[in-house]
Amino acid sequence: MQRTWMSVFVLVVMLAWTCVPGWCADNCNQAGISRPSPTAMVALPSEGKLVTQPYRGVTYIDYRGTVPRRVHMHIIQIDLTTPGIGFLVTPYNPRSGKATMKETSLQFLKAHKQEGARIAVNAHFFEPWPASSPDPGSADLVGLAASSATVNGPGAVHGAPHAYSPFSSNPPKSYAIMANAPALNIDASNRATIVHRQGGDTTGYATEEGVALYNTVAGCAQIITNGTDTTPQLDWHVKPLKPRTVAGLSKDEKTLTLFTVDGAGGSLGMTVNEVASFLLADPAGLWPPGRRVHNAICLDDGGSTTLAMVDPATGEASVFNAPSGGSPRAVGSNLAILIPASYSDGRSAAKYRLDAQDYGVVLRHGDGPGQCDILGARDVWVFEADGAYYMHYDAAGPKGWLAALATSKDMIHWQKKGPVLELGKAGKNDSASASYGTTFYDGRAWHMFYLGTPHTSPAPDLVPAFPYLTMKARSMSPVGPWAKQKDVVPFQAKPSTYYSVTASPGQIIKQGDEYLMFFSAATDHPIRRTLSIARTKNLDGPWTLDTEPILPTAEQVENSALYFEPTNRTWFLFTNHVGVDGFEYTDAVWVYWSKDLNCWDPAHKAVVLDRSNCTWSKHIIGLPSVVRVGDRLALFYDGNGDAKMPGGVKSHMNRDIGLAWLRLPLVPPSDER
């Protein structure tokens, strides 16, 4: 988002009172709590509202009122139909000795900022509370919990792999927390539901609604049910005035409201039933009727109540409310809103998401024959033949990067066979690297088109460098041996074209009597990457390259893997997006879709896998390869599991191969649900 908040704010003065000083007048700068930049915010009257749209699909309402008493509210409303928006709940951490490690909402926001986190609020009640002394920093959550970043949590044995804390039939602090308190679940498609424990359930993870638990938070009670106040009539809910945090859904379940009210800085707090009444009646006219809360749960409150946000004008994360303890409390769980990436140099970003479910690493580097992949395993190409699966991957070893083979029966367990290509002789186009071996079977023989280059970075990394060229080998078997066809020159990079430094191989599709290869193309100074089509009727002959690429070079994509969805007769082209954050690196797998192999709309694209839904590589996401397996599409990619992304040439090293899944049939995302 390029505009500052000042350009989009709407200020409504409820009463003609004298304006008081702005945010800092609430003494919220105590304990080092930062505030939005002065250029982004304006003074707010003692009663009134400031409405901004900090991100697409997100409305922030800062409201001060005097009914039922002096209160200061911070309200986030998220349009769940907005393409690209995602969510993340604190994941399971078995090493903590409990369910999670405690963090403030601000710490959680900052920790996941690279994944797109822009807003965070506190979520579950947690134990022990008060914390023991010394505080070990870990916590168990009260009630149902799931996180998209948890793959094999305790709920996995009950069919809920993302879940890790069950419904609580006998909760601690039962004077406040109801038995089997309902929870808010947001699934992978952003369908949000208030879920209830299934009658007779003995696992703690079964819901009446039967939804897939994905990102799930629970509180003390459901305080609004189908437009009716259902706050428990217990002293804890109707008497104490405290800071409160509430999550609610509109009647059509397309708007998520995250509500906080302060109990400090001049705001006097509210009871739980007052919050329910306020959300139902909306006496201040804070949102259109269609966004009014229809179902809601009350989350942890008091000193836990925190709303943190990244100011889009400055990129700085800060606490936006006034925590009652003077500084944010470390809590058992938080809920973050993830916003689609934008890039500092203005390169294209994907509007939509078509999220894959990550399995994790299936092939680690380092133990290949002859130390062939001691420095990394990446740039994967997977294909099936006669019920077996074959993986070509770039094995980075002492000699350089070479295409190596691994085989599998189940796609999970792989047996490494070592390099299938050797370096060419000095002066040849593959003298420094013979890697990324894509294959095509014509019914008689196997054809490999691989990447060759005479240039690399210095030892020991030996990263292939421009030009990236397409070369050819042939075999009668998918396991090889592969014979280089030195007399076959499919195509080469050509100066003063869109493929001046890169003309490297990609997937081949046969259309009629013609073969189409979706090859990678790039220029240098500056580097601009794209995909294009090369055509031939003879796999052992020359190819003709289209005069224009199929996608603009501003897309910054490279490498191709295609899948045809027969149910809607749509082609899906998976590719690697190159992002920038200080320096360029591959940050996501994207997919484009089209009914016509020869015509692609750059607007028709979605993020399939990035740091937000990859479970182990939180910065680098390498090139894709896809294979259909029954009613699922396997997506292979490479990544780096280091906590911090290596800089420079080292970002290419120490990669491993991961696997994610897409459920078939594939349906192109759109603005409609």
Side-chain angles (χ1 to χ4, degrees):
M1 183 175 180
Q2 299 301 314
R3 298 171 294 172
T4 65
W5 289 16
M6 280 292 291
S7 66
V8 296
F9 84 88
V10 179
L11 179 62
V12 180
V13 179
M14 304 287 292
L15 296 176
W17 290 13
T18 303
C19 289
V20 298
W23 295 76
C24 294
D26 285 343
N27 63 42
C28 291
N29 284 327
Q30 58 182 316
I33 300 174
S34 60
R35 278 306 191 195
S37 62
T39 61
M41 288 296 167
V42 297
L44 189 65
S46 55
E47 187 171 0
K49 65 178 179 181
L50 177 68
V51 182
T52 59
Q53 289 75 43
Y55 301 100
R56 185 167 181 259
V58 176
T59 300
Y60 168 52
I61 303 168
D62 178 4
Y63 172 72
R64 299 174 192 262
T66 55
V67 177
R69 65 196 56 80
R70 187 181 179 191
V71 289
H72 190 178
M73 302 172 185
H74 303 269
I75 304 164
I76 299 290
Q77 287 199 314
I78 303 107
D79 179 355
L80 296 172
T81 68
T82 304
I85 281 182
F87 296 87
L88 179 67
V89 173
T90 299
Y92 180 53
N93 187 341
R95 289 176 294 180
S96 69
K98 294 185 180 294
T100 65
M101 292 300 296
K102 293 188 292 186
E103 293 177 288
T104 68
S105 299
L106 182 60
Q107 288 171 331
F108 184 70
L109 179 64
K110 289 181 175 180
H112 296 280
K113 187 178 176 185
Q114 266 202 331
E115 299 161 51
R118 293 297 179 266
I119 302 165
V121 295
N122 66 290
H124 291 82
F125 290 83
F126 59 93
E127 291 293 327
W129 183 257
S132 58
S133 183
D135 186 352
S138 56
D140 284 320
L141 306 186
V142 181
L144 190 63
S147 171
S148 56
T150 298
V151 177
N152 259 322
V157 296
H158 304 296
H162 299 291
Y164 61 90
S165 178
F167 283 105
S168 179
S169 57
N170 186 26
K173 301 178 177 61
S174 57
Y175 57 84
I177 304 172
M178 300 296 98
N180 298 316
L184 168 70
N185 181 68
I186 307 170
D187 73 9
S189 298
N190 285 352
R191 289 184 289 263
T193 313
I194 303 294
V195 296
H196 305 79
R197 188 170 185 175
Q198 186 180 80
D201 167 50
T202 59
T203 69
Y205 294 99
T207 68
E208 291 283 0
E209 293 73 17
V211 299
L213 301 178
Y214 192 64
N215 280 303
T216 313
V217 296
C220 65
Q222 184 164 354
I223 63 171
I224 298 175
T225 305
N226 297 328
T228 299
D229 184 343
T230 53
T231 305
Q233 295 304 295
L234 302 176
D235 284 356
W236 190 86
H237 297 89
V238 300
K239 288 186 176 180
L241 302 179
K242 299 173 63 176
R244 305 288 179 183
T245 304
V246 169
L249 291 174
S250 59
K251 187 174 183 179
D252 63 6
E253 298 184 333
K254 292 183 178 180
T255 301
L256 171 64
T257 296
L258 299 175
F259 169 98
T260 68
V261 60
D262 288 344
S267 178
L268 302 178
M270 298 172 73
T271 67
V272 176
N273 65 318
E274 285 176 343
V275 173
S277 297
F278 184 91
L279 293 174
L280 284 169
D282 186 19
L286 298 183
W287 43 73
R291 290 192 171 191
R292 189 165 296 176
V293 174
H294 193 68
N295 287 283
I297 61 173
C298 188
L299 301 174
D300 192 11
D301 53 22
S304 297
T305 291
T306 311
L307 171 68
M309 191 169 0
V310 174
D311 185 337
T314 65
E316 295 299 316
S318 60
V319 175
F320 270 48
N321 72 315
S324 62
S327 60
R329 174 185 290 168
V331 296
S333 76
N334 290 282
L335 170 66
I337 295 92
L338 311 181
I339 306 297
S342 59
Y343 296 97
S344 59
D345 63 354
R347 69 183 61 193
S348 180
K351 175 181 178 182
Y352 302 105
R353 292 192 72 91
L354 186 63
D355 281 311
Q357 182 172 340
D358 193 32
Y359 175 86
V361 177
V362 293
L363 186 140
R364 295 190 183 277
H365 77 282
D367 61 353
Q371 293 192 316
C372 67
D373 60 6
I374 192 68
L375 299 176
R378 53 172 292 168
D379 297 356
V380 62
W381 177 263
V382 179
F383 57 102
E384 184 269 339
D386 298 325
Y389 299 101
Y390 301 84
M391 176 192 291
H392 286 165
Y393 69 96
D394 286 3
K399 294 181 180 180
W401 292 26
L402 294 169
L405 174 67
T407 60
S408 176
K409 291 291 186 180
D410 61 5
M411 291 194 166
I412 306 298
H413 306 92
W414 293 87
Q415 184 177 0
K416 296 179 180 179
K417 304 293 186 179
V420 295
L421 295 175
E422 292 295 332
L423 295 178
K425 294 181 179 179
K428 298 297 183 181
N429 282 337
D430 59 356
S431 60
S433 180
S435 51
Y436 190 47
T438 67
T439 57
F440 186 86
Y441 182 61
D442 67 2
R444 298 182 302 275
W446 288 89
H447 300 262
M448 180 197 292
F449 294 85
Y450 67 93
L451 184 151
T453 181
H455 302 139
T456 68
S457 68
D461 301 317
L462 300 174
V463 178
F466 294 149
Y468 297 154
L469 309 170
T470 296
M471 305 183 73
K472 180 81 163 47
R474 184 183 177 103
S475 176
M476 299 309 295
S477 167
V479 299
W482 293 91
K484 292 183 180 180
Q485 295 174 270
K486 301 174 184 178
D487 57 335
V488 176
V489 182
F491 48 86
Q492 298 281 289
K494 182 179 179 180
S496 303
T497 67
Y498 66 87
Y499 51 96
S500 61
V501 293
T502 295
S504 60
Q507 183 153 355
I508 295 173
I509 302 294
K510 188 175 184 183
Q511 188 176 56
D513 63 350
E514 186 177 46
Y515 299 96
L516 280 61
M517 183 190 292
F518 289 76
F519 73 96
S520 295
T523 60
D524 200 4
H525 306 301
I527 299 175
R528 293 288 184 266
R529 307 167 184 85
T530 186
L531 300 172
S532 190
I533 299 176
R535 306 170 190 270
T536 191
K537 293 185 178 181
N538 178 8
L539 292 171
D540 289 324
W543 296 65
T544 300
L545 277 58
D546 286 1
T547 57
E548 298 292 335
I550 61 173
L551 296 167
T553 57
E555 295 295 283
Q556 291 286 22
V557 292
E558 58 187 12
N559 306 299
S560 66
L562 286 96
Y563 168 73
F564 179 70
E565 178 52 66
T567 61
N568 50 34
R569 303 194 61 78
T570 302
W571 285 97
F572 290 83
L573 189 160
F574 296 84
T575 187
N576 209 185
H577 180 257
V578 179
V580 60
D581 185 8
F583 61 92
E584 290 189 317
Y585 64 97
T586 54
D587 67 349
V589 171
W590 284 7
V591 66
Y592 295 80
W593 56 89
S594 176
K595 300 283 189 180
D596 184 349
L597 276 173
N598 296 283
C599 184
W600 298 83
D601 185 342
H604 292 170
K605 62 175 177 280
V607 176
V608 176
L609 189 74
D610 63 6
R611 62 190 65 169
S612 70
N613 59 331
C614 182
T615 60
W616 61 280
S617 182
K618 293 302 183 181
H619 31 72
I620 294 166
I621 307 291
L623 71 85
S625 180
V626 296
V627 180
R628 179 171 185 166
V629 185
D631 63 353
R632 296 190 298 174
L633 190 69
L635 170 73
F636 292 88
Y637 63 96
D638 63 74
N640 181 300
D642 292 346
K644 184 178 180 181
M645 182 169 62
V649 72
K650 291 297 183 183
S651 67
H652 296 280
M653 311 308 295
N654 298 314
R655 303 275 188 99
D656 299 308
I657 306 298
L659 168 65
W661 294 97
L662 286 161
R663 183 67 64 180
L664 299 177
L666 294 185
V667 178
S670 69
D671 289 327
E672 300 296 326
R673 181 170 292 278

